[in-house]
Amino acid sequence: MTYTLPDSHGHFGIFGGRFVAETLMPLILEVEQAYGAAQADPIFKKDLDYYFEHYIGRPSALFYADRLTKELGGAKIYFKRDELNHTGAHKINNCIGQALLARRMGRKRIIAETGAGQHGVATASACALFGLECIVYMGAKDIERQAPNVFRMKLLGAEVRAVESGGKTLKDAMNEALRDWVTNVADTYYLIGTAAGPHPFPTMVRDFQSVIGRETREQMLEAEGRLPDTLVACIGGGSNAIGLFYPFIEDASVKMIGVEAAGHGLDSGEHAASIARGTPGVLHGARSYLLQNEDGQVQDAHSISAGLDYPGIGPEHAWLHDSGRVEYVSATDDQALAALTRVAKLEGIIPALEPAHALAHVIKIAPALSKDHLLTVNVCGRGDKDIFTVGKALGISL
C-alpha cells in the first residue's frame, strides 16, 4: 500500500476539505499553489534544512529513559525530545516552514492562534527572524494560565490580542484569527499551528512536522537496529502526533497510539476527547470529529493543558481512527500531573502538560509489555510554561 492522502481536494476519506467563506477561497487556493511550487523548489528545501539545523537545533535527541524503564519493569522506553528545540516545543518546525512560505508569497503581516502559547512563541520567533509583523490571538483564559509565554511573545515583538468570546481558549482564538484573515486578505498570511483547518493547512503542517518521525526512524535504527514497536504522542489538534506517525504509516509492524485529554473524566462533560466522545462535523474549515451537542453546536472543551483544550481533531487523525491504523485513547488531568512529576523526578526532565498525557499512557501500558518491546514517546514540549498551573494543582506555592 502507498499512502497518498489527502486527495486533490484535501479529503482524508470523508474528513478534511475546505469549508471557508467565499472571500477566503482565492487566498486558500493561492496558498495551495504556492506550497506546491515551494515543494518542487530545491532552494526552499535548502533554506528549510538550514534553519532546521542552525536555528531550531535539529535533529532533536532520542533519549533512552533508563530509570523510568527500570521502575516500570516492562518495555524499553525512548523519549523523542522535541522539547529541546529552540522555543521549547515542536511548534517551531511548522512555523519556520510556513514563515518561509509566507515570505515567498510576499506576505508581510502574519497572524496566528495559540492555546498553550508555544505556537505563539514560535510564530513570534519566526517573524522576528524574518522581519515580519506578528499578531497572535489567544484566549483570555489561556493568557492567564500561560503568562510566561505571553511575556515571551511580547518580548519578541508580537502583538498578543486577548479573545474574550466563548470559552476564551484555543477554539475561540482560532475563530478570531479566521475573522481577521477574511478582513485582511490582501497582505496577511494565517500561520495555522495545528494539523487542522482548511486544505492545504493540515497537509502542510503534517509535512513540516514529519521531520520528527523521519529523525525518530533513523535514530531508532541506529540505537536498536530496528524500528520501534509502539509510538505514543498526545493529541489536541494533532500536529506533534501526525509529525511522529506519518513516516511510519506504511510500517504495519509499528503500532501508533494518540492520547487525548480526558480532563475530569470522559463522562464528566469536562474533557477534550473529540474522538472518544465526539461526532463528525465541520469546524474551522474542515470536517472532522468534534465535541458538539445534538443540534451541532460546538461545545467547550476542558483540559488542564491549554494546548489540548480544543473541541476537535485534525482530519487526518479522524481518518486514521476510522481506518483503524492508529489507536486513540485518553488520559485525565490527574494522570497527566502524576506522569509529569514522576518523569521529572526519575529522568530530570520536566515535560509540558501536553506530552505528560502521552507519558501517562506510557506509564499505564509499559509494565505489561516485554522487555524487548521498543516504545517511543514524543516529549513535544517542555514544562516551564506550565509552572503556575502545575504549582496550583499540586498545592505548591511559587
Side-chain angles (χ1 to χ4, degrees):
M1 180 193 81
T2 300
Y3 188 79
T4 59
L5 294 177
D7 66 17
S8 60
H9 298 290
H11 293 110
F12 300 87
I14 66 169
F15 303 107
R18 41 189 166 216
F19 300 82
V20 297
E22 186 176 343
T23 52
L24 272 184
M25 187 59 78
L27 187 53
I28 290 283
L29 295 173
E30 183 185 3
V31 171
E32 181 183 19
Q33 182 180 24
Y35 180 57
Q39 283 182 299
D41 185 350
I43 295 176
F44 182 83
K45 184 180 185 304
K46 183 179 179 181
D47 287 346
L48 189 64
D49 289 345
Y50 173 85
Y51 287 108
F52 271 22
E53 178 180 357
H54 298 286
Y55 188 71
I56 298 174
R58 304 210 69 92
S60 65
L62 183 74
F63 172 71
Y64 170 49
D66 179 62
R67 293 193 67 209
L68 182 63
T69 295
K70 288 176 179 175
E71 180 165 298
L72 295 177
K76 194 171 184 180
I77 301 167
Y78 281 89
F79 291 172
K80 178 55 174 168
R81 298 199 57 195
D82 251 44
E83 97 282 4
L84 293 177
N85 294 339
H86 175 51
T87 72
H90 69 291
K91 294 293 188 179
I92 190 68
N93 304 322
N94 169 59
C95 289
I96 289 294
Q98 286 201 59
L100 284 170
L101 183 65
R103 188 175 69 169
R104 181 186 179 97
M105 295 173 67
R107 297 294 190 268
K108 302 293 187 182
R109 181 177 182 268
I110 307 298
I111 59 172
E113 86 296 330
T114 195
Q118 289 302 122
H119 176 59
V121 171
T123 302
S125 298
C127 287
L129 177 65
F130 297 130
L132 304 170
E133 180 184 359
C134 182
I135 297 169
V136 179
Y137 288 92
M138 190 172 190
K141 179 179 177 182
D142 291 337
I143 286 176
E144 181 179 350
R145 58 180 172 173
Q146 297 293 329
N149 275 344
V150 175
F151 174 78
R152 293 167 75 196
M153 283 182 268
K154 291 180 178 179
L155 192 61
L156 288 160
E159 177 187 348
V160 181
R161 294 186 179 178
V163 178
E164 300 285 352
S165 60
K168 304 179 184 180
T169 58
L170 180 57
K171 168 181 68 71
D172 313 293
M174 200 165 185
N175 287 341
E176 289 303 317
L178 284 166
R179 291 188 184 102
D180 183 314
W181 202 20
V182 170
T183 306
N184 300 285
V185 294
D187 65 343
T188 298
Y189 182 94
Y190 180 13
L191 205 163
I192 292 179
T194 193
H199 179 67
F201 287 99
T203 303
M204 284 200 303
V205 174
R206 177 196 73 189
D207 292 348
F208 290 134
Q209 293 292 3
S210 65
V211 65
I212 301 169
R214 293 196 304 272
E215 289 178 2
T216 299
R217 187 184 193 91
E218 294 175 4
Q219 290 166 327
M220 286 299 297
L221 287 171
E222 182 178 353
E224 296 285 349
R226 62 187 179 92
L227 298 180
D229 297 297
T230 301
L231 301 171
V232 183
C234 65
I235 298 279
S239 63
N240 94 88
I242 202 64
L244 178 64
F245 295 164
Y246 181 61
F248 293 92
I249 286 176
E250 295 187 26
D251 297 297
S253 66
V254 180
K255 182 175 182 178
M256 296 181 281
I257 303 173
V259 186
E260 296 187 294
H264 296 312
L266 292 179
D267 297 323
S268 69
E270 296 183 337
H271 59 78
S274 303
I275 285 183
R277 289 293 185 270
T279 53
V282 174
L283 177 65
H284 297 144
R287 179 179 172 87
S288 189
Y289 279 100
L290 312 175
L291 298 179
Q292 54 189 336
N293 62 23
E294 293 178 355
D295 297 321
Q297 296 298 307
V298 177
Q299 297 177 304
D300 289 334
H302 163 77
S303 173
I304 192 172
S305 58
L308 304 185
D309 201 351
Y310 183 67
I313 195 165
E316 190 162 8
H317 285 294
W319 185 86
L320 289 168
H321 167 264
D322 278 12
S323 70
R325 180 62 186 94
V326 177
E327 177 185 1
Y328 293 87
V329 298
S330 61
T332 65
D333 290 351
D334 289 344
Q335 289 169 331
L337 279 166
L340 186 155
T341 56
R342 192 171 188 178
V343 169
K345 292 174 182 177
L346 283 173
E347 298 293 353
I349 295 169
I350 303 175
L353 281 166
E354 289 78 17
H357 286 71
L359 289 162
H361 191 68
V362 167
I363 290 168
K364 179 179 179 181
I365 66 173
L369 298 171
S370 65
K371 292 183 183 296
D372 64 349
H373 190 102
L374 301 180
L375 195 162
T376 302
V377 58
N378 192 8
V379 183
C380 61
R382 68 184 185 219
D384 50 336
K385 71 181 179 62
D386 294 317
I387 56 172
F388 297 107
T389 300
V390 174
K392 181 179 179 180
L394 298 178
I396 301 172
S397 58
L398 302 177

